[in-house]
Amino acid sequence: MKLNGTITALVTPFAKDGSVDYGKLKALVEEQIAGGVEGICSVGTTGESPTLDHAEHHKVIEKTIEYAQGKCKIIAGTGANSTAEAISLTKAAIAMGGSDACLQVTPYYNKPNAEGLYRHFATLADLGLPVVLYNVPGRAGKEIPLEVVKRLAAHENVIAIKEAAGSVERVSAIKNMCPDFTVLSGDDSLAVPMISVGAEGVISVASNVIPKEMSDMIRAALSGDFKTAGAAHAKLYPLFHNLFIDTNPVMVKEALALQGKIERVFRLPLCETTDKNLETMRATLASLGLV
């Protein structure tokens, strides 16, 4: 199974009482599909996975699959810093059916050594659901070393890596070691540069807000039309940047709330952004005709 194109790291909308708003989730999924994305990643970091309990975690993935109706690929966020917990979440995703792959984040906080990282990911890959590795040292406190990526790429169920280390050079290094291994950008602002050196798409935060524009930009880049992709990147860059002036997913949820698509509700320790940041986002959306 091959992953490419635009895969949206979908937010999890909450109702005013703090519960998951499945009606708004359905609307978001349908908007993504109408916008032409190739996939949806459910309950990743942008989906506020740390604050969903396990029952909610399973149900959000299950409902996302149901709402998508087979019209795009579904990646289930089932990672954890405890291998046992990640196994439990992944087995639940396998049991419900409908997920094309799972996203497995680098175990955070406990910072395992290279062998521990290899065993963690390999154990999850052995379960049978295709695995997308998620390299995000800014959140995990640890990167997946290149030699570990190479070892894991040889596993038949490890199909891709989401690169969110902010390094285009690392994409080149991975493709040099493993030419046939799929790399997906984890940074909207680096998606076009990463594709230029071999990445095959993006797992995107921005596409929550601009699914069609993001999909068009990525398709242009993947087709080799970097003039069109570069122009789109330049136009959209202020949004890419301002979605991260506060901790993700705060700003993308603020943007969607400004558009009237979700409630402005978070779960602690996440909370609303500052008035200054909110006005910056409002102005950014207005400049793109999005509010």
Side-chain angles (χ1 to χ4, degrees):
M1 204 252 317
K2 200 75 171 169
L3 295 173
N4 57 33
T6 299
I7 299 165
T8 301
L10 196 67
V11 303
T12 299
F14 299 133
K16 288 182 179 179
D17 65 1
S19 63
V20 177
D21 190 329
Y22 291 99
K24 286 190 167 58
L25 178 66
K26 184 174 189 287
L28 291 175
V29 171
E30 290 173 348
E31 182 186 27
Q32 291 300 313
I33 291 167
V37 303
E38 281 75 20
I40 291 172
C41 183
S42 179
V43 201
T45 306
T46 307
E48 291 180 77
S49 57
T51 62
L52 298 186
D53 65 34
H54 281 197
E56 290 172 324
H57 196 122
H58 303 328
K59 188 174 179 180
V60 170
I61 294 170
E62 184 177 21
K63 288 297 184 181
T64 299
I65 292 166
E66 176 187 323
Y67 301 149
Q69 297 182 324
K71 295 177 181 177
C72 71
K73 288 187 168 65
I74 302 293
I75 301 175
T78 61
N81 69 338
S82 159
T83 305
E85 183 179 2
I87 288 171
S88 174
L89 292 169
T90 304
K91 282 184 173 179
I94 292 169
M96 73 179 66
S99 294
D100 296 284
C102 61
L103 184 70
Q104 298 292 343
V105 68
T106 316
Y108 40 87
Y109 190 74
N110 43 19
K111 299 172 72 172
N113 63 25
E115 183 61 25
L117 284 171
Y118 173 77
R119 293 184 193 180
H120 171 81
F121 289 119
T123 298
L124 294 162
D126 287 342
L127 298 175
L129 187 63
V131 167
V132 178
L133 308 173
Y134 182 11
N135 183 53
V136 58
R139 283 187 181 268
K142 183 88 175 181
E143 77 169 12
I144 307 172
L146 290 171
E147 62 270 20
V148 174
V149 174
K150 184 176 182 180
R151 289 177 71 191
L152 290 166
H155 194 297
E156 64 179 357
N157 290 330
V158 178
I159 62 167
I161 186 167
K162 176 184 177 182
E163 271 298 322
S167 171
V168 177
E169 182 180 0
R170 192 174 145 96
V171 177
S172 295
I174 293 170
K175 296 302 286 188
N176 182 62
M177 288 189 314
C178 313
D180 297 326
F181 191 54
T182 297
V183 179
L184 300 167
S185 174
D187 296 296
D188 291 308
S189 62
L190 290 179
V192 172
M194 285 185 173
I195 289 170
S196 76
V197 297
E200 295 182 50
V202 62
I203 297 181
S204 172
V205 173
S207 57
N208 279 277
V209 183
I210 48 167
K212 183 180 186 303
E213 294 87 344
M214 200 72 193
S215 298
D216 289 347
M217 182 185 79
I218 297 302
R219 286 197 191 98
L222 288 172
S223 72
D225 183 0
F226 285 100
K227 182 177 181 181
T228 297
H233 169 91
K235 178 182 178 181
L236 298 172
Y237 174 75
L239 178 63
F240 297 161
H241 178 271
N242 291 334
L243 284 170
F244 289 87
I245 56 176
D246 202 338
T247 300
N248 186 51
V250 170
M251 294 311 300
V252 67
K253 293 192 84 173
E254 294 284 20
L256 291 168
L258 286 167
Q259 292 182 302
K261 294 176 181 176
I262 66 172
E263 299 292 342
R264 193 188 185 198
V265 178
F266 306 83
R267 288 183 178 176
L268 289 172
L270 297 182
C271 67
E272 302 85 354
T273 195
T274 64
D275 289 344
K276 180 181 178 181
N277 284 347
L278 190 64
E279 287 311 306
T280 297
M281 180 53 66
R282 192 192 309 274
T284 303
L285 294 174
S287 72
L288 293 169
L290 298 171
V291 290

